[in-house]
Amino acid sequence: PRIVNCTNGELWLELDGSVKFKSHNPDSRLTSQVACEFDPKATCPSWDAMCDKVFQACDSPAEMIRHFHELFGYILQPDRHHAMSILLKGPGGNGKSTLADIVRCVMGRDAVLSTSIAELSKGANAHFTDSCQGKLMLLDDDFKKDALLPDDWIKKFSEAKSLSANPKFGRPYEFMARCTPVILTNFWPPTADLSEGILRRMMILETTHVLSVAEKDPMHVLQVKRHELPGVLNRLLQGLVRVLKRGQRFDVPAEAEESKRRWFKSSNATVRFVSEVAD
């Protein structure tokens, strides 16, 4: 079920986008809880101002902000009908880490696994998958330069898939992995996978504006974390509802699709060669 577990109850979302607020019920068997209560009247002016600053250099900032809320709103709930991974790319000092950090605060510590996804390409720890149990987001907020994107793990975690876990001092078991990969990077990460599958799964948000000293206001972050998390939750829920009303489809902005083409072209020497010859 598409359920968002809040501190004051459960939000049940139907496929038509309708929302029902219910009391907590252990039969729901939820493994995480967002770090705030649901308040349909809550607002988040400081969060909105931060989003405007981060995406201001985009061709259509409003469309990119809408798409951001829809992507991260989707991973709030455990249904994984749409296979996807998120790549948030931009120069250092552009605010992308702050936005991701606030989303992590909203989702709560039990829903997010923060780790270096690049390390997976070198061989995952034998007990790694056990730590993914019950998580909704697999976050790498600083992808290592020149590290190869672990395409096999990206594909596995981009949708609900049964995995085996080998916990320390415990018996192996099977579980349904639902932790959507979210990668923050200052450059285009290389990939060895040229398939349509990886291209279809990757959702890319690119920002190019570097925040000036005047634009960086630490009080905005404190204000959001202390007082506006219910408002940010509403922004993400509104994005999730829009996705459901479209039939669980994303309306990807044209510039996001163009960013995906640039990533795919620049991240692999073979694709780059073929593209240059064709031009």
Side-chain angles (χ1 to χ4, degrees):
R2 289 157 295 279
I3 305 174
V4 178
N5 186 24
C6 305
T7 57
N8 58 338
E10 300 173 1
L11 286 169
W12 288 60
L13 296 102
E14 303 298 332
L15 282 176
D16 61 2
S18 61
V19 182
K20 295 180 180 179
F21 186 66
K22 302 182 180 181
S23 300
H24 286 127
N25 187 340
D27 290 339
S28 299
R29 299 185 179 183
L30 302 173
T31 58
S32 63
Q33 184 179 76
V34 298
C36 62
E37 65 179 17
F38 171 63
D39 178 1
K41 297 181 180 180
T43 59
C44 49
S46 295
W47 166 262
D48 292 337
M50 290 169 59
C51 290
D52 290 339
K53 291 177 183 178
V54 172
F55 292 100
Q56 63 180 287
C58 295
D59 295 336
S60 180
E63 280 294 284
M64 292 295 286
I65 293 172
R66 170 194 62 77
H67 190 47
F68 177 94
H69 287 143
E70 292 178 4
L71 290 175
F72 284 92
Y74 184 80
I75 65 177
L76 274 180
Q77 49 80 45
D79 180 60
R80 291 295 181 262
H81 172 82
H82 192 99
M84 71 168 191
S85 299
I86 301 174
L87 182 67
L88 185 53
K89 187 257 186 185
N94 72 335
K96 60 183 182 296
S97 295
T98 301
L99 296 186
D101 181 52
I102 291 176
V103 170
R104 174 169 48 189
C105 288
V106 171
M107 295 183 66
R109 65 178 61 188
D110 291 333
V112 181
L113 174 62
S114 298
T115 187
S116 172
I117 295 179
E119 293 300 319
L120 298 181
S121 62
K122 301 178 182 179
N125 182 288
H127 310 291
F128 165 73
T129 50
D130 181 50
S131 60
C132 298
Q133 165 72 1
K135 306 297 184 183
L136 296 177
M137 181 165 71
L138 178 62
L139 176 64
D140 186 341
D141 61 3
D142 188 17
F143 193 79
K144 292 184 177 180
K145 186 174 178 58
D146 298 328
L148 188 67
L149 201 67
D151 307 301
D152 53 344
W153 286 104
I154 293 294
K155 286 183 177 180
K156 286 179 181 179
F157 287 124
S158 65
E159 56 190 316
K161 183 165 290 187
S162 180
L163 294 180
S164 297
N166 181 24
K168 286 185 178 180
F169 313 114
R171 299 180 62 182
Y173 64 93
E174 297 285 322
F175 74 101
M176 190 65 68
R178 305 175 189 276
C179 46
T180 299
V182 176
I183 301 171
L184 276 58
T185 178
N186 297 339
F187 52 88
W188 292 124
T191 176
D193 192 336
L194 304 179
S195 69
E196 188 275 337
I198 192 70
L199 192 62
R200 171 174 50 84
R201 285 173 168 84
M202 195 64 71
M203 292 287 187
I204 295 181
L205 293 163
E206 183 180 9
T207 64
T208 59
H209 178 73
V210 178
L211 298 177
S212 65
V213 175
E215 290 174 315
K216 296 179 181 179
D217 187 352
M219 293 307 297
H220 270 183
V221 178
L222 292 176
Q223 173 69 15
V224 173
K225 290 185 176 181
R226 291 177 179 176
H227 306 292
E228 296 187 9
L229 291 187
V232 177
L233 175 62
N234 284 342
R235 289 284 185 267
L236 300 178
L237 289 172
Q238 291 160 6
L240 172 57
V241 167
R242 289 194 297 269
V243 173
L244 293 176
K245 287 184 175 180
R246 293 194 205 104
Q248 299 198 72
R249 291 193 297 270
F250 292 98
D251 182 11
V252 183
E255 61 187 296
E257 291 287 9
E258 178 59 31
S259 293
K260 182 185 293 189
R261 285 189 286 271
R262 281 200 301 274
W263 162 68
F264 201 58
K265 177 180 177 180
S266 65
S267 65
N268 189 283
T270 301
V271 176
R272 188 163 58 251
F273 173 77
V274 172
S275 177
E276 291 174 355
V277 169
D279 292 340

